[in-house]
Amino acid sequence: MVTGRTGIPCMIMRGGTSKGLYFLADDLPDDREERDELLLRIMGSPDDRQIDGLGGAHPLTSKVAVVSPRDDGSVDYLFLQVFVDQALVSDQQNCGNILAGVGPFAIERGLVAAGQDTTSVRITMANTGGVVAATVRTPGGEVRYDGDVAIAGVPGTAAPVVLDFQGTAGSTCGSLLPTGHVSEVIDGVTVTCVDNGMPVVVIPAAQLGVTGAESPAELENDAPLRRRLEALRLEAGRRMGLGDVSDTTVPKLTMVSPPRSGGACGTRTFIPHRCHTSIGVLGAASVAAALRLPGSAVDGIAELSDGPRVRVEHPTGYLDVEVELDGHDVTRTGVVRTARKLIDGTAYPR
């Protein structure tokens, strides 16, 4: 049993625009309840400040990656969202930002042998069964974190981590359009329910009486809007085959508006009750797929280029994602992220 005296090996990494704790599966309890109870103690949940733990008092900084080797030389990645103010740990979604750190972590821990220039790490996302190939810079056989790639929402630059996803469509709900409709009306609002790696309800911002340019704080402080969004989310979750989603973190809700900074569209995303300061990787992949679907709720809002790249604007910048479709089938999803090791040591739970 892990105690405040023995501790547990842990690496803290920034992955994309999130921050989380990375563990080897063998270092955590096999029993799910014991594991979750331990992670709550390590994070300092439930507590709005997470003052007695390693959490950062926000859903974006209260995340966990559990990594284990597979017999074929690849790795499994289980993502866990640790709630800040509730004693809950959820495995009901992937996280594409924390995913960006899995390849470097697997190499650092010796699960995957490093190449002399770059290393491709094949990762199975245990939450959904999806597979991604992560290409990591490893000059001289060591992970390189410094580089010249900038991503919006993160200060400075770092080495790129190229993520090429396979089988993203329907990874959680079973199909790209889990309700069977390209668009539909929920509570008087036209939406598209889509799952291209993340279940998302895509909503034209104007239909909710907002411009889509409001700050996350403004939207969070709009109590009537939040109540309306949650009612919409609960019904969408039922229609998407997710059941009662009142205690889960999916589906997300993304409001889409015309672009303001040269991208394809503007977005504001609830995850599901806090307004994201940026946008998740897989959430952006789902939004991009909805933008490219003729007849979707947001068809005509975006300014799309001829190529596969879609620049999704968010409150702190943009995220470039590449999505290619053949009808209602997604043939490719790719993105460039960065990651950085922050600390490697021992976590001592309370």
Side-chain angles (χ1 to χ4, degrees):
M1 179 178 178
V2 179
T3 69
R5 286 189 174 184
T6 60
I8 180 173
C10 172
M11 185 180 291
I12 302 177
M13 299 187 75
R14 175 189 62 75
T17 54
S18 292
K19 184 164 61 177
L21 312 184
Y22 290 68
F23 298 95
L24 291 176
D26 285 347
D27 289 331
L28 291 168
D30 292 330
D31 181 81
R32 176 173 175 165
E33 289 188 7
E34 290 183 20
R35 179 201 68 194
D36 291 354
E37 189 270 341
L38 172 62
L39 293 175
L40 287 165
R41 289 191 287 128
I42 290 174
M43 281 291 190
S45 296
D47 172 44
D48 286 343
R49 296 182 299 159
Q50 291 181 320
I51 195 66
D52 202 29
L54 296 177
H58 192 281
L60 299 183
T61 54
S62 189
K63 299 184 174 187
V64 168
V66 182
V67 182
S68 56
R70 295 170 67 97
D71 291 339
D72 61 2
S74 65
V75 299
D76 276 339
Y77 153 54
L78 174 68
F79 171 71
L80 298 172
Q81 179 72 60
V82 180
F83 283 57
V84 175
D85 56 354
Q86 301 179 62
L88 292 174
V89 178
S90 173
D91 64 358
Q92 297 302 300
Q93 65 178 84
N94 280 324
C95 178
N97 277 302
I98 292 297
L99 170 64
V102 171
F105 176 77
I107 297 168
E108 293 260 21
R109 286 289 189 262
L111 304 184
V112 176
Q116 289 300 305
D117 184 22
T118 63
T119 303
S120 179
V121 181
R122 182 177 171 86
I123 303 165
T124 298
M125 296 177 285
N127 304 73
T128 60
V131 177
V132 61
T135 302
V136 181
R137 292 274 179 89
T138 53
E142 294 184 356
V143 177
R144 183 74 171 265
Y145 293 102
D146 61 309
D148 57 5
V149 172
I151 61 173
V154 177
T157 61
V161 178
V162 180
L163 302 174
D164 225 320
F165 295 90
Q166 303 171 24
T168 51
S171 59
T172 297
C173 300
S175 63
L176 179 68
L177 298 169
T179 70
H181 303 289
V182 176
S183 68
E184 57 201 287
V185 177
I186 300 178
D187 194 22
V189 178
T190 302
V191 306
T192 290
C193 299
V194 61
D195 174 14
N196 187 32
M198 178 69 70
V200 178
V201 185
V202 182
I203 313 162
Q207 293 211 11
L208 293 168
V210 297
T211 66
E214 295 84 355
S215 71
E218 287 179 287
L219 294 171
E220 283 189 11
N221 290 330
D222 188 336
L225 173 66
R226 290 180 63 181
R227 286 193 294 268
R228 188 177 185 189
L229 285 172
E230 182 61 5
L232 192 156
R233 190 179 80 87
L234 293 175
E235 174 59 19
R238 185 190 67 78
R239 295 190 188 187
M240 296 170 81
L242 297 170
D244 181 2
V245 299
S246 55
D247 289 329
T248 70
T249 56
V250 290
K252 313 296 188 189
L253 301 150
T254 295
M255 296 179 285
V256 173
S257 58
R260 292 171 175 81
S261 302
C265 70
T267 60
R268 295 293 185 269
T269 301
F270 278 78
I271 57 173
H273 306 125
R274 300 287 300 273
C275 189
H276 206 321
T277 54
S278 55
I279 190 171
V281 170
L282 293 169
S286 289
V287 171
L291 294 174
R292 291 199 175 278
L293 285 169
S296 77
V298 290
D299 187 13
I301 293 178
E303 297 180 8
L304 298 171
S305 63
D306 292 335
R309 181 164 297 181
V310 178
R311 174 159 289 185
V312 178
E313 297 177 3
H314 56 70
T316 51
Y318 61 86
L319 191 156
D320 286 333
V321 59
E322 296 188 355
V323 174
E324 299 177 38
L325 283 81
D326 181 6
H328 290 174
D329 295 325
V330 175
T331 57
R332 178 177 174 270
T333 301
V335 69
V336 176
R337 295 274 84 188
T338 66
R340 193 169 79 84
K341 177 171 66 173
L342 304 179
I343 191 169
D344 190 1
T346 304
Y348 294 93
R350 66 165 183 256

